[in-house]
Amino acid sequence: RALAFAGRGRSLVAAEVVSDGGASGWTGELRIDRGRRDGIEAGAPVIAPEGFVGRVVSVSERTAKVLPATDPNCRLSCVVEGLEKAGHGILSGGGNARPAPEIAMLHVVEPLEVAFIDKDIPVKPGARVFTAGDGTAYPRGILVGTVIGVDRDSTLLFQRARVRPAVPFHALGPVFVLKRGDSGPASGGGARGGGE
């Protein structure tokens, strides 16, 4: 599947995850085995065949540090499929649940959250969430995840959606760094089925 994905002719650099942040799990960092000599730059999106993984935050000659979508500091503009501009919101990671000491090797990824969605539009569980492509940081149409629940925020002026990540962060295989100049959509699971 990864080979088919990489063969689509986009400006993708294949990489392996060599570190997942150790004790900090997926709220810390991922480190991949590609760096400056491979044309990797800070800010580049990192994707997998399933969808959005995160973004490159620093680069050495041979490796790069990736902030995963599950980290609360990873924020990006997203859109709920089929809802056009009204379905825009800001996605952030939920971190990971810390398990009991006896099962400390198990990491449970908390749902992502999309905040500031218009309170008057119908967002339903099962709807897919994609990168919105606002600005130049991320191409439009990369699958981020699926809505699993919706409620009002504390101001009652907006909705917030809980989103299950599309990517299996507990079992990441090959990932791909999207180099500058590629306009997406890039995810194997992220072809837009409607929306804006």
Side-chain angles (χ1 to χ4, degrees):
R1 182 177 181 183
L3 286 172
F5 179 67
R8 293 187 174 191
R10 300 189 180 278
S11 304
L12 299 175
V13 177
E16 293 287 340
V17 176
V18 295
S19 170
D20 66 0
S24 61
W26 305 300
T27 60
E29 67 180 57
L30 303 174
R31 190 163 292 276
I32 58 175
D33 64 351
R34 294 290 184 268
R36 193 176 297 112
R37 69 174 186 170
D38 304 294
I40 306 304
E41 299 179 5
V46 180
I47 57 180
E50 297 85 1
F52 183 77
V53 174
R55 74 172 187 269
V56 175
V57 292
S58 64
V59 183
S60 69
E61 190 65 19
R62 297 175 180 271
T63 67
K65 177 181 173 182
V66 177
L67 187 69
T70 53
D71 191 292
N73 295 310
C74 188
R75 296 175 180 270
L76 64 150
S77 178
C78 287
V79 63
V80 179
E81 184 178 29
L83 298 180
E84 302 185 359
K85 290 294 182 182
H88 275 63
I90 303 299
L91 180 133
S92 59
N96 63 339
R98 302 310 301 170
E102 61 270 19
I103 53 171
M105 295 302 292
L106 176 64
H107 292 278
V108 179
V109 176
E110 293 293 326
L112 311 176
E113 181 178 283
V114 180
F116 306 112
I117 302 173
D118 188 313
K119 65 180 176 62
D120 296 320
I121 63 172
V123 179
K124 298 180 180 180
R128 296 188 297 173
V129 177
F130 295 88
T131 54
D134 298 338
T136 59
Y138 306 104
R140 174 181 172 180
I142 302 174
L143 181 63
V144 174
T146 304
V147 175
I148 57 174
V150 183
D151 57 23
R152 293 286 180 90
D153 66 13
S154 59
T155 70
L156 303 181
L157 299 176
F158 299 97
Q159 297 181 85
R160 58 186 177 191
R162 296 183 304 283
V163 176
R164 179 185 299 113
V167 169
F169 283 91
H170 64 283
L172 272 176
V175 298
F176 301 88
V177 182
L178 190 63
K179 297 175 73 174
R180 287 187 185 276
D182 194 344
S183 59
S187 168
R192 294 294 298 260
E196 56 184 24

